[in-house]
Amino acid sequence: MMKVAISGASGKTGYRIAEEAIKKKFQTKLLVRNSSILPKSLENKERCNVSLFNPSKLDNALRDCDALIIATGARPSADLTGPCKIDARAVKQQVESCQRVGLKRIILVSSLCSGKLIHPLNLFGFILLFKRIGERALENSQLDWTVIRPGGLNEDEENIKDECVLYSSKNTQEEGSIPRRLVASSCIEALQTKESIGKIIEITSSPNNKRLTMQQSIEEF
Ligand SMILES: NC(=O)c1ccc[n+]([C@@H]2O[C@H](COP(=O)([O-])OP(=O)(O)OC[C@H]3O[C@@H](n4cnc5c(N)ncnc54)[C@H](OP(=O)(O)O)[C@@H]3O)[C@@H](O)[C@H]2O)c1
């Protein structure tokens, strides 16, 4: 059985990624910090408290895993260095750890408009520029990477069955939103779609989209 490490598993997208992985019968390892709080649904799952900036501990955490999904991200705060530290440097640390331990498959949750300079989101520590630096670490890694760039995230799950995900190639969507639950299921779909390797995939959702799988969408990129 494939074992998937999920970093940032205590986050609002991260915990859903873990839940979706478990639904699909993957084994999981939740990479979080000492202070991180996991929801009840994940309390009895394998948890590993590790600093993303401690290379040897990170290597040990990833050594028995087959894939890593990165759902870490700077939490909005007054500390404007968060994006540089978490969205760029911590992603690079995780990529390098995968390279050292021979973990080949890596998926990163990034953001629409990654790399854009003129954008209101950049008021928070130039986050879109640092997200692009994080993405680049994957692109240059020789690993089997996929970048998932979601639009604005929400927690709506009530009518989720009516929502259809629009998957598109890089720099094709600039607005739109998507429930975190669908970002999570898209990460797991990427894990199961080998055509997603080496691709940046942008995702938003709406009931008005045509219902296509990730694989069908990639064929039309
Ligand atoms: N908000 C949006 O509309 C939007 C849109 C597009 C993309 N995104 C991106 O999507 C991703 C998920 O967003 P989200 O709002 O669901 O996440 P979130 O709830 O803010 O969770 C962030 C995760 O990152 C972890 N983290 C933060 N700083 C860390 C550090 N120094 N060391 C280790 N772990 C750290 C947090 O751990 P703790 O629980 O310990 O704090 C948490 O698990 C992020 O990369 C975000 O930038 C967001």
Side-chain angles (χ1 to χ4, degrees):
M1 193 201 300
M2 197 189 213
K3 186 163 182 177
V4 185
I6 298 134
S7 64
S10 52
K12 292 194 288 285
T13 303
Y15 86 78
R16 290 177 168 98
I17 294 173
E19 288 177 348
E20 293 302 308
I22 292 162
K23 246 192 239 168
K24 295 285 180 186
K25 311 279 183 230
F26 290 109
Q27 237 182 302
T28 55
K29 186 184 258 192
L30 313 175
L31 305 190
V32 292
R33 17 182 195 186
N34 289 328
S35 56
S36 300
I37 299 166
L38 287 171
K40 277 218 155 41
S41 60
L42 300 177
E43 266 172 2
N44 61 353
K45 299 296 169 191
E46 185 178 354
R47 169 182 178 144
C48 184
N49 293 343
V50 63
S51 162
L52 303 171
F53 298 98
N54 184 327
S56 62
K57 290 215 169 117
L58 194 52
D59 290 359
N60 283 339
L62 290 174
R63 202 157 266 134
D64 66 341
C65 298
D66 305 295
L68 168 66
I69 303 178
I70 302 177
T72 48
R75 285 190 183 272
S77 84
D79 176 9
L80 297 183
T81 66
C84 172
K85 193 172 160 214
I86 306 307
D87 297 282
R89 284 176 47 218
V91 169
K92 191 159 178 280
Q93 295 288 331
Q94 295 179 79
V95 168
E96 288 172 357
S97 183
C98 290
Q99 291 172 317
R100 284 192 297 271
V101 303
L103 186 160
K104 282 291 284 176
R105 186 72 173 109
I106 184 165
I107 294 173
L108 170 68
V109 179
S110 178
S111 173
L112 282 196
C113 297
S114 170
K116 270 206 156 49
L117 173 61
I118 310 295
H119 195 290
L121 285 177
N122 281 326
L123 290 173
F124 178 41
F126 289 109
I127 189 163
L128 292 174
L129 301 187
F130 287 115
K131 288 231 175 258
R132 183 67 193 127
I133 292 174
E135 291 181 355
R136 277 237 183 76
L138 270 78
E139 289 178 308
N140 296 332
S141 67
Q142 314 284 333
L143 299 172
D144 290 343
W145 60 270
T146 303
V147 171
I148 300 288
R149 286 184 180 170
L153 303 179
N154 64 57
E155 311 244 35
D156 302 344
E157 301 211 3
E158 210 179 316
N159 298 314
I160 202 133
K161 287 214 157 58
D162 301 330
E163 290 287 310
C164 299
V165 178
L166 170 63
Y167 304 95
S168 67
S169 57
K170 72 171 170 185
N171 304 331
T172 52
Q173 300 191 60
E174 292 199 344
E175 48 196 32
S177 63
I178 183 165
R180 286 180 169 87
R181 177 67 59 189
L182 293 180
V183 178
S185 54
S186 296
C187 289
I188 303 306
E189 194 175 352
L191 205 53
Q192 298 175 305
T193 305
K194 64 176 188 321
E195 291 79 1
S196 72
I197 292 174
K199 295 208 165 54
I200 292 177
I201 301 175
E202 300 190 335
I203 57 173
T204 56
S205 80
S206 147
N208 304 323
N209 295 329
K210 198 167 144 194
R211 193 172 291 281
L212 291 173
T213 64
M214 181 180 284
Q215 186 170 340
Q216 289 167 331
S217 308
I218 289 173
E219 282 162 14
E220 292 181 9
F221 275 11

